[in-house]
Amino acid sequence: MMLSLRPVGMGVCIGALVLLCTPATTVAQSSSWEVVDRMSFGQAAVTYQDCGLRKIDRDLFVEQYPDGMRAKAPAKQMATIEVSYSNDFPAEAQEAFQRAVEIWEMHISSSVTIRIDARWESLGERTLGAAGPSLALVDANGDDDGDTIVGFPLFDAITETDQFPGDPDVFAQFNDQRTDWHFEESPAPSGMIDFTSVVLHEIGHGLNYTDVFSHSNGTGSYGVDFNRDGQVTGNERSPGPFGRRLAEKESDGSLASLTNFSNPSENLGDALTSEQLFFADEGASVAAELGDGPVPPRMYAPSPFEEGSSIAHLDERTYSEESPNALMTPQIGAAETNRQPGPVMCGQLQDMGWPLGVGCEQYFRALFAVEVQPTDGRNGSRTLSWSEADDANIQEYIVDRQYFGGAFEEVKRVDASEVSGTSLTVEDLGLGAFAFRLRWKTADGSTAASPEEVRDTVNVQEVTTSIRDRDEQGRGTIDLSWTVPSGTRGDFVYRVERRVGRDGAFEPVATIPQEGAAGNDQTKQYTAEQQTPGRYEYRVRAQDGAGNAVTSANRESQIDFEGDVYALGPYPNPVRETASFDLTARQPQSVQVEVYNTLGEQIYAEQREVRAQEPTFLSIDASQWASGVYFLRLRGETSVGQTKKMIVVQ
């Protein structure tokens, strides 16, 4: 028989159901659990429909990303999450959803694929999204009686077995009525809700960040009516590992576990609305010490009780939008982009029994959250920064560098006494695409390394263009210059590439050698003379002897001209067989090209499409014309005709 899930109390909302099982240390050893019953697909989908993340009606303008991961290659995947989307799920929403999936794949670890059923549905005015896990009632103590409720993602991860292959593990719904979704990879702008952040939050609930507490008429209770008889008895009265770790702080500062309260009772109801609820376990407490907020971390327990928000969220006021732990608060603001689970949530998942991936594991190392950024005033250098546990007791730091995907090699070793704070600089790297790995040695002689490398590219700097020396035909000279950072190898060459107009391809126009290793910053130059008026873009591709290359940002250079249409030519003049011209138009338009003889007779006509600011080559066959004087007339759609004189000599 398939059992529906009905929480005790009227109006109770299970936005993402709590994992109900034994403490984490026991859970991790329970690989022989037997499934007694489970929730049906339809029941699970309906259960989670009325709950979810709420919107704050103001712009917050906050950006948060996983430490050191915004501009680097994807980290090693520790879990696999597959998503099945409803037919009406927009393609752009699916792309944003996948970004959240990739973040979670490196924060948790599981040998079993986690399957999510994602739906695009109407959820009402206030709710952004809702999610929760498919549940199983299992026998955890071997007495052939169901005693623990487990969400399948965690159950499968612990047992390393796919209990029901092919069935969804998590049910997720997102509001199709909203017009303020931001689906892009960039941060959410004013007035928009970042869809990736919302998905990241809801998947977190699907990974068992949930509860089954309810509150009605001043009475609090917990448990699940599995047999649908309207009562919660026996093993149905279990808060599971999430609820078991919740405690109310008393007036003397001590913590009273919620499982010590009578169930149901008014005392439990008071605790659920006390604003003094904490997640009291080792992993969460260790993680809480790394950032803002109290230790252990504070949960959301406002008065009055808020269905769908109370209990299974971190406290909204304690963890502001700037906090690294803000993802699992019950509200999100417009222009708030938060794409990191945060240390506290990682600690809570660990306490509930989740095997951690490298994204979460970093918070429980002596050294974690390694980042790399440019060094102020030193083009060829990079500064590594990190966070340390208070008891890290590190004696020595070692930096390994990888150049263009090659082997890692040690480039710096520093005694801890010589390091100021938690950062150090790697000098004179020169040009290249680099990965860095930070290792350290502690007082007991043991060594360890950051779980993931961080990446950055050192490119040519200060790429500039300038225009000078306009000749009598309006052509200009363009000077391009760039700086080569110190430490650059001597086998580099610099290929100058140019694009004419706005949409053309970049093409090489010159190659400049390095001429020896760069001991200090070096300035390189290229000059393009007699450039026809129009728009150009230049970039510099720096390439070493092995073919490894980095390419600078594009730099625009525009040589202006009078009127709406410009013509350079003819060349050569006098003309013998072919008359050549360069045409440029201020705006895209059709240009009528006409040639007349001295009697006013038209001997040539052509309609030429000219794109904006893009010099266009025009060639006219004059081999059959008699020697003499001719007149070229250009007429744009919005311009007065321009006349050019040319001489033909046969």
Side-chain angles (χ1 to χ4, degrees):
M1 179 181 67
M2 294 297 182
L3 299 180
S4 65
L5 187 71
R6 294 177 180 268
V8 176
M10 297 298 294
V12 175
C13 184
I14 308 177
L17 293 174
V18 68
L19 168 69
L20 304 181
C21 54
T22 52
T25 53
T26 304
V27 169
Q29 300 170 359
S30 302
S31 59
S32 60
W33 285 347
E34 296 292 334
V35 176
V36 176
D37 219 323
R38 65 186 180 118
M39 178 184 288
S40 71
F41 179 96
Q43 291 165 345
V46 172
T47 298
Y48 304 125
Q49 190 168 19
D50 299 327
C51 318
L53 189 63
R54 315 298 190 193
K55 176 186 176 183
I56 299 173
D57 291 324
R58 67 176 186 274
D59 288 329
L60 300 182
F61 296 111
V62 170
E63 299 175 36
Q64 296 196 59
Y65 294 81
D67 290 319
M69 291 165 45
R70 185 171 183 182
K72 58 174 279 188
K76 180 181 179 182
Q77 182 173 290
M78 303 300 292
T80 299
I81 300 176
E82 294 181 356
V83 186
S84 176
Y85 298 99
S86 60
N87 291 334
D88 55 349
F89 215 100
E92 56 184 352
Q94 293 184 35
E95 292 180 7
F97 199 113
Q98 288 301 129
R99 284 192 288 272
V101 164
E102 291 170 3
I103 292 172
W104 272 121
E105 284 178 331
M106 69 177 186
H107 279 79
I108 57 174
S109 179
S110 178
S111 61
V112 179
T113 298
I114 300 168
R115 292 177 293 273
I116 298 178
D117 180 82
R119 301 182 179 186
W120 195 245
E121 298 181 344
S122 299
L123 298 180
E125 182 179 355
R126 293 186 61 227
T127 304
L128 300 172
S134 179
L135 301 172
L137 176 64
V138 303
D139 173 21
N141 58 20
D143 61 1
D144 297 323
D145 188 20
D147 51 55
T148 300
I149 305 169
V150 183
F152 274 107
L154 179 55
F155 187 10
D156 291 350
I158 292 173
T159 62
E160 298 184 346
T161 303
D162 193 343
Q163 303 297 327
F164 292 92
D167 286 358
D169 302 302
V170 176
F171 304 91
Q173 300 148 311
F174 297 90
N175 199 336
D176 66 0
Q177 297 174 296
R178 305 203 67 87
T179 60
D180 56 355
W181 284 126
H182 171 73
F183 298 118
E184 306 301 322
E185 187 172 2
S186 59
S190 174
M192 304 297 285
I193 297 296
D194 186 58
F195 189 73
T196 299
S197 299
V198 174
V199 174
L200 197 70
H201 175 106
E202 295 303 336
I203 292 178
H205 283 308
L207 298 177
N208 301 304
Y209 197 99
T210 58
D211 80 280
V212 290
F213 286 91
S214 61
H215 190 277
S216 180
N217 299 321
T219 298
S221 58
Y222 55 85
V224 176
D225 181 8
F226 281 100
N227 59 19
R228 304 178 66 181
D229 63 359
Q231 299 180 9
V232 178
T233 59
N235 56 23
E236 296 177 329
R237 291 185 173 181
S238 173
F242 188 98
R244 189 173 288 115
R245 288 166 171 80
L246 297 180
E248 181 189 21
K249 180 175 287 188
E250 305 291 343
S251 57
D252 62 359
S254 62
L255 294 172
S257 172
L258 295 191
T259 59
N260 291 337
F261 293 91
S262 297
N263 179 26
S265 68
E266 292 185 0
N267 287 340
L268 180 56
D270 291 341
L272 295 177
T273 55
S274 65
E275 300 186 355
Q276 293 295 317
L277 207 60
F278 296 83
F279 194 95
D281 206 350
E282 181 179 359
S285 295
V286 168
E289 292 176 349
L290 304 177
D292 53 350
V295 179
R298 186 190 300 268
M299 306 307 295
Y300 190 59
S303 179
F305 191 88
E306 296 181 9
E307 295 179 5
S309 295
S310 288
I311 314 305
H313 289 96
L314 291 172
D315 186 61
E316 183 71 39
R317 288 185 295 181
T318 300
Y319 305 101
S320 68
E321 61 269 17
E322 292 90 359
S323 168
N325 298 305
L327 180 71
M328 291 311 293
T329 61
Q331 299 175 3
I332 186 173
E336 179 180 355
T337 302
N338 192 334
R339 301 180 185 175
Q340 61 171 357
V344 165
M345 187 181 188
C346 287
Q348 291 172 312
L349 292 176
Q350 182 187 61
D351 290 335
M352 288 189 287
W354 263 105
L356 300 184
V358 294
C360 279
E361 192 181 50
Q362 62 172 322
Y363 300 118
F364 304 97
R365 292 171 173 259
L367 184 151
F368 59 93
V370 180
E371 294 184 331
V372 60
Q373 54 273 327
T375 305
D376 290 343
R378 302 168 69 179
N379 291 329
S381 302
R382 289 296 183 266
T383 297
L384 298 179
S385 61
W386 60 88
S387 297
E388 284 184 16
D390 291 339
D391 58 351
N393 199 12
I394 294 175
Q395 302 297 303
E396 188 177 43
Y397 300 95
I398 305 102
V399 179
D400 298 330
R401 184 202 68 177
Q402 181 189 60
Y403 175 79
F404 281 112
F408 276 98
E409 59 179 358
E410 182 180 318
V411 294
K412 190 158 191 170
R413 182 182 292 263
V414 183
D415 189 271
S417 63
E418 300 175 13
V419 176
S420 176
T422 54
S423 67
L424 57 84
T425 298
V426 183
E427 301 85 359
D428 299 333
L429 288 163
L431 293 172
F434 300 101
F436 300 95
R437 182 174 60 198
L438 185 60
R439 294 184 288 133
W440 61 93
K441 182 182 294 185
T442 58
D444 62 4
S446 62
T447 60
S450 53
E452 290 296 323
E453 67 269 12
V454 292
R455 300 176 183 273
D456 203 359
T457 298
V458 181
N459 217 322
V460 296
Q461 306 291 319
E462 302 167 3
V463 181
T464 62
T465 59
S466 60
I467 300 171
R468 61 179 174 85
D469 297 340
R470 298 288 289 269
D471 63 19
E472 68 278 0
Q473 298 186 68
R475 296 177 297 183
T477 297
I478 299 177
D479 290 323
L480 172 71
S481 66
W482 63 94
T483 299
V484 177
S486 59
T488 298
R489 293 166 35 163
D491 62 346
F492 269 89
V493 295
Y494 304 92
R495 186 170 69 178
V496 178
E497 299 178 336
R498 182 184 68 181
R499 174 163 63 191
V500 178
R502 296 183 181 276
D503 303 318
F506 276 95
E507 297 180 352
V509 294
T511 299
I512 311 297
Q514 168 65 19
E515 298 177 352
N520 298 301
D521 289 359
Q522 296 181 357
T523 299
K524 298 288 184 181
Q525 293 181 326
Y526 166 73
T527 298
E529 298 178 337
Q530 297 182 336
Q531 298 297 289
T532 302
R535 181 184 186 275
Y536 302 88
E537 282 186 75
Y538 287 89
R539 68 186 186 189
V540 178
R541 179 177 173 85
Q543 182 172 307
D544 69 12
N548 302 307
V550 292
T551 303
S552 75
N554 305 341
R555 288 294 180 265
E556 178 184 337
S557 184
Q558 185 162 310
I559 303 175
D560 203 4
F561 55 90
E562 295 182 358
D564 292 332
V565 178
Y566 170 88
L568 172 66
Y571 52 87
N573 196 7
V575 175
R576 295 192 179 274
E577 294 185 354
T578 302
S580 298
F581 299 86
D582 290 323
L583 304 182
T584 308
R586 193 169 299 280
Q587 300 295 333
Q589 58 186 290
S590 180
V591 176
Q592 179 70 16
V593 181
E594 302 167 340
V595 178
Y596 295 86
N597 59 23
T598 54
L599 299 178
E601 298 171 332
Q602 185 184 82
I603 62 171
Y604 178 87
E606 177 185 354
Q607 199 76 18
R608 178 62 67 97
E609 298 298 323
V610 181
R611 292 187 287 190
Q613 302 292 340
E614 182 173 330
T616 300
F617 179 73
L618 170 65
S619 179
I620 301 174
D621 182 6
S623 62
Q624 302 302 314
W625 300 352
S627 298
V629 177
Y630 294 84
F631 299 94
L632 173 77
R633 174 175 292 178
L634 304 174
R635 290 187 296 173
E637 295 174 352
T638 60
S639 64
V640 178
Q642 182 182 15
T643 302
K644 305 280 289 186
K645 181 180 178 180
M646 62 180 179
I647 300 173
V648 175
V649 177
Q650 300 295 1

